[in-house]
Amino acid sequence: MASEHSFDISAAVDKQELKNALEQAKKELQTRYDLKGVKSELSFNEKESIFRLSSSSEGKVDVLRDILISKLIKRGINTKAIKELGRENGAMFHLNLKINDSIDSENAKIINKAIKDSKLKVSSSIRGEEIRVVSKQIDELQNVIKLVKGLDLELNLSFKNLK
C-alpha cells in the first residue's frame, strides 16, 4: 500500500475527439435540409485548437455552431472550454471558436488557492500546465476533486493519474 496518493489536474482535450466531432458535424452538415444549397464549411486548426465555421449567411453560421457544439458534447468535451473569438463579415460569414486546452497561470493560482484555503490535508503544486495534488488519504483527494469541480472555471478539467 502506498504511503502517499496523488493525482494531476489538467485541462487537456483529446485532439482525436475534437477531430471526430468535426467529422460528425461535417456529415450532419451534408444531410441537413435547412443547409441544402448554402455554401458552408467547417475546419479545425489543430496547432492553435481553433474551429473555423464559414457560411454564406450569418444565421447559418449559428446553426453550424450549434451542430458542432452538440457533437462536442456527445464526445464528452465540456462546453465551458469553448470560447468564441470573433465573427468576420464579408462575402462569407466566419466564426472562430477556440478550445481552451491548458490551465493558464491565473486559473492555476485560483485552483491552488482554493485547495489551500479548504484546509484539507493535501499539498498542491503547479507543474507547468498541470497541478499535482498529494495526500496520504484518498478520501482527501476525492474531496479536492469535488472542490475543484465546484469552482466553475471555464476549462475542460480532467483528473488523471490517481495513484
Side-chain angles (χ1 to χ4, degrees):
M1 189 167 145
S3 61
E4 282 195 340
H5 305 282
S6 66
F7 72 91
D8 297 324
I9 302 171
S10 99
V13 177
D14 187 0
K15 298 285 187 194
Q16 188 59 46
E17 290 297 337
L18 293 175
K19 290 178 189 175
N20 290 342
L22 177 68
E23 291 305 316
Q24 286 181 338
K26 283 181 178 179
K27 283 181 184 176
E28 184 171 332
L29 177 69
Q30 294 170 353
T31 61
R32 288 279 295 254
Y33 183 76
D34 59 339
L35 296 173
K36 291 242 192 266
V38 177
K39 184 169 173 33
S40 300
E41 284 182 17
L42 291 168
S43 62
F44 178 62
N45 182 338
E46 189 173 344
K47 186 176 181 182
E48 297 177 12
S49 295
I50 294 178
F51 284 102
R52 183 165 176 88
L53 291 68
S54 305
S55 183
S56 58
S57 160
E58 188 171 9
K60 300 301 180 190
V61 170
D62 292 332
V63 171
L64 291 176
R65 182 178 51 80
D66 292 342
I67 291 170
L68 180 62
I69 288 177
S70 72
K71 300 305 177 192
L72 290 170
I73 290 170
K74 286 180 183 176
R75 290 273 169 198
I77 296 168
N78 192 339
T79 57
K80 291 179 184 178
I82 303 167
K83 187 178 291 183
E84 190 172 309
L85 292 180
R87 295 175 180 259
E88 301 168 16
N89 298 335
M92 295 281 284
F93 292 89
H94 304 285
L95 173 64
N96 295 321
L97 299 175
K98 170 97 170 109
I99 304 296
N100 190 0
D101 60 351
S102 65
I103 299 177
D104 60 343
S105 62
E106 190 172 312
N107 281 322
K109 288 176 185 174
I110 290 170
I111 293 169
N112 211 12
K113 184 177 182 333
I115 292 170
K116 301 258 190 241
D117 291 347
S118 70
K119 305 290 187 213
L120 293 170
K121 294 179 182 176
V122 297
S123 65
S124 61
S125 60
I126 300 171
R127 295 182 170 197
E129 295 182 349
E130 291 185 341
I131 299 172
R132 167 76 45 102
V133 182
V134 180
S135 177
K136 291 188 178 190
Q137 297 178 345
I138 290 181
D139 292 342
E140 293 291 323
L141 295 178
Q142 291 171 340
N143 289 334
V144 170
I145 291 173
K146 288 178 192 172
L147 172 77
V148 172
K149 282 182 178 178
L151 291 177
D152 198 35
L153 298 171
E154 293 187 4
L155 298 169
N156 186 44
L157 292 176
S158 61
F159 307 94
K160 57 186 181 179
N161 300 332
L162 182 59
K163 300 174 189 171

